């Protein structure tokens, strides 16, 4: 009613970096539908339509009320014809036939399963689908397939990895990471980023940024940390990507820029004390297979030079859509190029230094947005 109208009266930005998006989503019914559509377009490699639905989803997540009538979306940006039609259908029917169709689509269902495996993207899914494969079980059973080391780990720990990481598990892993890193570099700064920094209480992985204040850099840190975990039997998988950063090189203008930091995509073994130890004793008495007392957890470790740390923090905190909009805003509204390493002012032809995320927002002429308001 009145609340909605007064809200609409204040102009809503098309950029999620000029909005506040908390986890309190009043329009889940719509945004879930948009995300299914976006994912289906991603599987079809239709980036334009995919982005259109992701932007609409982000926008509805930022509204402080539930959309119940078409009037509620009047004057809002990011609502094209496709999106408008979908909203109308959901308002009128309570659900969308288009979304239902996608959810029942053979190709969508197969791609959904395949891409849920660590190391499997749209390209690989396409290949498997063309071979006639439809489920994760069928892929697993096909012994002729040549799987990457990453995909092998993905199938080996599939059950653990699809069950999401909890906040408690993230905290437990955080302690392990901090302890190990600080045993080699006592002054190192270890920060949890990604969804957990935005206040989410579940995630598909745990992301960490590591930096060492001062001039000292240790190119060997990541190797030392993972070698120790290997010795301790905690490392189930590890792929270290060496840094490819070139100083003075202009930031990448890609929409989804992969950064150049040294990083490690790992799977850690997190021991979990069993709540019910009677099952344990019982299974041992009965000579049953030992009860698994650990869970495989996906962990990303990223090492950044100290002076790039605020940019890396901003990029890795996400959300993905928030990051995309920050870069789009920088390019289109400020003639600047933003990536996870820095900010380049094309008019002044200089890199802008920043000691904190707040300073980056200030360079861009944006009001500061707290991490928990970046759930776009
Ligand atoms: N990111 C980035 N550069 C990469 C990979 C990711 O800047 N090469 C950013 C975008 C994401 C954030 O880092 O918002 C974390 O990536 P995740 O895929 O882990 O996403 P989230 O942590 O937001 O979600 P989830 O809860 O699924 O882990
Ligand atoms: Mg994450």
């Amino acid at each position: 009613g009145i609340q909605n109208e007064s809200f609409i009266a204040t102009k809503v930005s098309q950029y999620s970096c000029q909005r506040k998006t908390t986890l309190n989503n009043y329009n889940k019914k719509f945004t879930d539908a948009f995300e299914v559509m976006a994912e289906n377009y991603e599987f079809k490699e239709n980036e334009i339509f995919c982005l259109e639905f992701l932007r609409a989803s982000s926008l509805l997540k930022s509204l402080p009320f539930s959309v119940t009538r078409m009037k509620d979306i009047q004057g809002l940006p990011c609502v094209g014809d496709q999106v408008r039609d979908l909203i109308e259908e959901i308002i009128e029917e309570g659900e969308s036939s288009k979304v239902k169709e996608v959810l029942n689509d053979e190709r969508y269902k197969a791609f959904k399963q395949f891409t849920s495996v660590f190391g499997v993207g749209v390209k690989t899914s396409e290949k498997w689908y063309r071979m006639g494969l439809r489920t994760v079980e069928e892929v697993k059973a096909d012994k002729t397939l040549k799987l990457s080391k990453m995909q092998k780990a993905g199938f080996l720990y599939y059950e653990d990895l699809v069950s999401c990481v909890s906040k408690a598990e993230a905290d437990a892993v955080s302690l392990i990471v901090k302890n190990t890193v600080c045993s080699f570099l006592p002054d190192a700064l270890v920060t949890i980023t990604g969804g957990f920094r935005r206040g989410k209480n579940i995630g598909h992985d745990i992301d960490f940024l590591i930096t060492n204040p001062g001039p000292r850099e240790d190119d060997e840190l990541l190797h030392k940390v993972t070698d120790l975990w290997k010795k301790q039997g905690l490392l189930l998988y590890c792929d270290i990507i060496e840094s490819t950063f070139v100083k003075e090189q202009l930031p990448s203008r890609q929409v989804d820029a992969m950064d150049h930091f040294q990083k490690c995509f790992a799977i850690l073994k997190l021991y979990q004390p069993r709540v019910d130890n009677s099952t344990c004793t019982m299974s041992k008495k009965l000579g049953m297979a030992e009860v698994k007392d650990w869970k495989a957890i996906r962990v990303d470790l990223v090492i950044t030079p100290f002076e790039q740390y605020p940019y890396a923090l901003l990029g890795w905190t996400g959300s993905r859509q928030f990051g995309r909009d920050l870069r789009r805003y920088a390019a289109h509204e400020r003639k600047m190029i933003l990536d996870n390493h820095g900010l380049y002012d094309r008019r002044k032809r200089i890199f802008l230094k920043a000691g904190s995320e707040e300073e980056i927002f200030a360079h861009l002429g944006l009001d500061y947005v707290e991490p928990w308001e970046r759930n776009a």
Side-chain angles (χ1 to χ4, degrees):
I2 290 159
Q3 227 179 321
N4 302 10
E5 270 134 52
S6 65
F7 174 81
I8 300 297
T10 62
K11 188 109 173 73
V12 178
S13 170
Q14 63 154 313
Y15 299 105
S16 61
C17 54
Q18 289 188 304
R19 307 189 296 250
K20 290 172 196 265
T21 316
T22 64
L23 290 166
N24 197 353
N25 179 2
Y26 293 100
N27 294 289
K28 196 165 156 34
K29 197 171 57 172
F30 299 102
T31 59
D32 283 352
F34 295 167
E35 280 167 16
V36 170
M37 297 301 285
E39 197 174 31
N40 192 42
Y41 282 124
E42 186 192 341
F43 294 161
K44 295 182 175 209
E45 296 186 71
N46 184 335
E47 204 186 321
I48 310 267
F49 283 177
C50 174
L51 268 179
E52 187 177 331
F53 278 105
L54 289 180
R55 281 186 193 151
S57 173
S58 273
L59 185 108
L60 262 68
K61 283 180 188 173
S62 75
L63 297 180
F65 59 87
S66 301
V67 169
T68 58
R69 310 156 305 177
M70 289 309 277
K71 227 182 132 225
D72 292 338
I73 57 162
Q74 231 174 56
L76 291 180
C78 312
V79 182
D81 291 344
Q82 282 199 87
V83 169
R84 174 176 300 271
D85 290 351
L86 200 60
I87 294 177
E88 191 158 30
E89 200 188 356
I90 294 175
I91 289 178
E92 281 169 12
E93 313 292 331
E95 58 182 11
S96 154
S97 57
K98 275 203 202 87
V99 173
K100 260 182 148 172
E101 218 173 277
V102 171
L103 289 172
N104 282 315
D105 180 64
E106 192 178 15
R107 189 172 183 278
Y108 174 84
K109 284 193 285 188
F111 274 57
K112 184 85 186 152
Q113 284 206 33
F114 297 160
T115 56
S116 73
V117 181
F118 175 54
V120 180
V122 173
K123 290 275 182 296
T124 307
S125 300
E126 184 79 55
K127 200 175 78 191
W128 291 346
Y129 189 77
R130 285 202 188 146
M131 292 172 69
L133 298 165
R134 294 295 179 266
T135 65
V136 164
E137 286 71 34
E138 284 170 16
V139 175
K140 251 184 174 169
D142 190 328
K143 300 297 171 201
T144 64
L145 287 177
K146 180 119 184 60
L147 300 177
S148 69
K149 187 181 150 225
M150 203 182 227
Q151 291 161 352
K152 279 181 192 159
F155 282 109
L156 198 50
Y157 307 112
Y158 184 74
E159 297 303 328
D160 278 1
L161 298 183
V162 286
S163 84
C164 280
V165 182
S166 69
K167 179 74 174 62
E169 287 162 348
D171 290 337
V173 170
S174 186
L175 271 182
I176 297 174
V177 174
K178 281 178 184 167
N179 280 334
T180 314
V181 168
C182 289
S183 73
F184 297 111
L185 267 181
D187 298 327
L189 217 59
V190 178
T191 311
I192 202 161
T193 63
F196 289 108
R197 183 159 183 258
R198 302 196 307 274
K200 281 177 62 177
N201 49 33
I202 54 159
H204 93 280
D205 66 359
I206 320 173
D207 309 288
F208 293 95
L209 268 188
I210 302 166
T211 191
N212 196 34
R216 218 164 85 83
E217 267 176 51
D218 187 353
D219 299 337
E220 288 306 305
L221 179 66
L222 215 39
H223 295 272
K224 289 178 189 163
V225 166
T226 50
D227 283 348
L228 181 61
W229 287 342
K230 218 175 281 170
K231 260 184 228 146
Q232 295 172 333
L234 296 179
L235 199 66
L236 299 171
Y237 172 85
C238 171
D239 181 16
I240 294 182
I241 316 279
E242 294 303 332
S243 166
T244 52
F245 181 70
V246 185
K247 254 193 172 161
E248 308 304 326
Q249 174 185 278
L250 285 194
S252 160
R253 290 192 222 184
Q254 277 176 308
V255 191
D256 268 306
M258 182 71 180
D259 59 45
H260 303 280
F261 296 120
Q262 184 192 38
K263 55 175 78 72
C264 162
F265 303 118
I267 300 176
L268 276 195
K269 190 174 191 174
L270 179 66
Y271 282 99
Q272 304 182 310
R274 290 194 65 89
V275 186
D276 179 13
N277 58 16
S278 66
T279 15
C280 260
T281 334
M282 184 65 78
S283 64
K284 268 178 197 155
K285 269 184 194 156
L286 296 172
M288 282 158 66
E290 227 168 289
V291 178
K292 182 165 157 280
D293 58 352
W294 54 270
K295 180 178 168 184
I297 309 253
R298 274 275 300 113
V299 175
D300 287 345
L301 303 177
V302 181
I303 312 272
T304 84
F306 188 59
E307 67 280 5
Q308 296 176 14
Y309 175 76
Y311 287 101
L313 184 60
L314 183 59
W316 277 88
T317 298
S319 68
R320 227 172 207 115
Q321 191 54 34
F322 191 87
R324 277 190 203 113
D325 281 345
L326 269 175
R327 291 190 291 275
R328 194 161 61 96
Y329 179 87
H332 296 160
E333 307 295 332
R334 302 287 173 204
K335 297 237 180 311
M336 293 182 184
I337 312 173
L338 173 72
D339 70 7
N340 289 356
H341 300 270
L343 180 61
Y344 181 76
D345 186 323
R346 292 172 57 211
R347 283 191 273 230
K348 294 185 185 153
R349 298 187 185 177
I350 50 166
F351 285 92
L352 301 170
K353 291 196 183 346
S356 64
E357 288 182 313
E358 282 86 345
E359 286 179 33
I360 304 173
F361 282 88
H363 282 320
L364 290 166
L366 287 169
D367 289 338
Y368 183 64
V369 180
E370 297 284 356
W372 57 89
E373 297 167 337
R374 299 180 202 163
N375 286 291

